Amino acid sequence: MVVRGGAMPAFCFTDRGNAFNEDFVACGEGFGVLLDGASGLAEDRLFAHEAPTYARWLSQTAGAEAARLLKAGASCRDAAHGAYELVARQYAAQRAVSNAEPDPLLAPSATLAMARLTPLEVELLWMGDSPLVVVLRDRIDVLYDPEIRALDAKALTRAEELRRFPGNEGRPARELVRDMLSHHRMLRNQPGGYRIFDPLSGDPMRGGTQSYDRTDVVAVLGMSDGMMAAFDAY
């Protein structure tokens, strides 16, 4: 998504027609919101009637609500909190119907990046590693939580080490480091862990926030970590 600091319009894109796209992006006059969903470590079919993956349900439901609230004039923090309350209620209700206990390893999560223009400020909120790139008149700021990338890098390094052992050739990396990934998931929104949006503990009232004088901002770009990798390359 791109939100301009002046009179230029905002714009955004994603492959929303792809049934397994777990991202959400929306923008309008003076606002933008992006979520990059991630499924739990095991299949959970609580919302199979609504979406092909659990993370898609989370990103699409929360993203649409956040966009609705931003369009109505809510602040980034209030819009994000309203989206969290909606998915938390739906998640709890569906668990009750299915008689399912809450399980942090099954629960989906999503990064969250939001921007809002006010008459005087550019207001930003983020959780996770979908960066907000703030293009200022004299510099560029990149806002995100680096902890997830550090944990992912540890898991990838460990997977490569384990692949050298006989019998592990060709095995999926996720399978080789499942215990490590489980440990990392339990660090979600915990002291010493990382911030992320999820329906169990991911209240964005804990998210990172930053405001800039509107006249200093040329544009704000919000993107998934994959898109950021391409952006960095060029």
Side-chain angles (χ1 to χ4, degrees):
M1 69 180 183
V2 179
V3 178
R4 300 282 188 175
M8 294 290 288
F11 65 90
C12 54
F13 62 90
T14 185
D15 186 8
R16 196 173 297 173
N18 178 350
F20 291 94
N21 181 2
E22 295 177 340
D23 299 346
F24 176 91
V25 63
C27 54
E29 186 175 348
F31 77 88
V33 55
L34 177 147
L35 292 93
D36 185 355
S39 294
L41 292 180
E43 185 177 24
D44 192 311
R45 305 301 294 166
L46 280 181
F47 288 88
H49 59 291
E50 294 189 21
T53 71
Y54 208 2
R56 183 176 170 91
W57 161 78
L58 177 68
S59 63
Q60 298 291 312
T61 304
E65 179 66 2
R68 183 188 71 80
L69 292 169
L70 286 169
K71 187 175 182 179
S75 68
C76 283
R77 192 175 288 280
D78 287 346
H81 183 64
Y84 168 74
E85 288 190 320
L86 175 65
V87 294
R89 286 196 306 270
Q90 290 188 9
Y91 182 72
Q94 195 62 34
R95 284 204 329 267
V97 169
S98 304
N99 196 28
E101 292 296 323
D103 186 342
L105 297 181
L106 294 180
S109 60
T111 65
L112 175 64
M114 303 176 71
R116 173 177 174 258
L117 305 184
T118 74
L120 298 177
E121 292 185 323
V122 177
E123 178 186 294
L124 306 170
L125 180 146
W126 68 93
M127 296 182 81
D129 63 341
S130 289
L132 288 162
V133 180
V134 187
V135 182
L136 300 158
R137 299 193 181 280
D138 59 348
R139 69 181 192 277
I140 294 177
D141 290 350
V142 182
L143 308 175
Y144 70 98
D145 292 328
E147 293 83 4
I148 300 176
R149 294 187 187 185
L151 292 173
D152 286 347
K154 287 181 181 178
L156 287 171
T157 299
R158 182 57 179 158
E160 290 303 313
E161 293 172 350
L162 293 173
R163 276 208 177 103
R164 301 190 186 105
F165 287 83
N168 284 344
E169 302 90 344
R171 292 179 62 190
R174 185 163 171 152
E175 179 182 319
L176 291 172
V177 292
R178 188 171 188 80
D179 288 346
M180 178 180 279
L181 293 177
S182 296
H183 172 68
H184 290 173
R185 288 295 175 100
M186 298 303 291
L187 296 175
R188 288 193 299 195
N189 301 309
Q190 299 299 318
Y194 61 95
R195 297 185 294 201
I196 202 74
F197 184 88
D198 75 36
L200 283 176
S201 61
D203 188 339
M205 297 299 279
R206 313 180 201 183
T209 59
Q210 179 72 43
S211 294
Y212 294 86
D213 188 303
R214 180 166 175 164
T215 60
D216 293 335
V217 178
V218 177
V220 177
L221 295 79
M223 59 191 80
S224 66
D225 58 336
M227 186 68 179
M228 184 62 185
F231 186 82
D232 275 343
Y234 296 98

